[in-house]
Amino acid sequence: MWSGSWPTRTESAESRDARRRIRLLEQENEVLRRAAAYPSIGKRLYPLAKELAAEGIPVAVTCRVLQLARQPYYRWLAEPVTAGEIAEAPSQRVVRREP
């Protein structure tokens, strides 16, 4: 039979805080691991942030770890390609072959 005592409120709070911190560290580690394998820097990391958010890693965590500002990320998310980027892109001709 169990002869121990129940954890006190302080111990329970400490345990809960420790689990929360471990989860945050695991998320940060995953962001760094994926970013190391990602071929881009700067604004081009926004697609990575979007992928990680879809997998459950908060955008706030990803942006903090990658040192990205959240507001421009959310702006990019609303409009991934800006009008300025379209204007700067070289025009390309697409040749279609009829079947």
Side-chain angles (χ1 to χ4, degrees):
M1 183 163 230
W2 183 59
S3 62
S5 61
W6 293 101
T8 64
R9 286 185 185 190
T10 304
E11 290 170 342
S12 294
E14 289 173 356
S15 178
R16 188 173 45 250
D17 290 343
R19 284 191 303 272
R20 188 177 300 131
R21 182 71 181 139
I22 289 168
R23 185 171 55 245
L24 179 62
L25 291 170
E26 288 172 343
Q27 290 172 342
E28 290 173 351
N29 188 36
E30 179 64 14
V31 170
L32 290 171
R33 187 184 68 75
R34 296 276 297 274
Y38 212 72
S40 301
I41 58 169
K43 187 176 180 182
R44 294 184 189 102
L45 286 174
Y46 290 161
L48 174 62
K50 184 178 177 183
E51 290 173 22
L52 291 168
E55 294 174 14
I57 296 177
V59 172
V61 172
T62 300
C63 288
R64 181 174 39 77
V65 170
L66 298 178
Q67 298 178 346
L68 300 171
R70 281 187 288 168
Q71 186 176 11
Y73 165 75
Y74 284 114
R75 223 178 338 206
W76 171 86
L77 196 57
E79 187 178 348
V81 180
T82 66
E85 291 171 334
I86 292 172
E88 291 176 7
S91 61
Q92 296 180 2
R93 299 176 90 188
V94 177
V95 178
R96 289 187 179 175
R97 292 185 176 176
E98 296 296 322

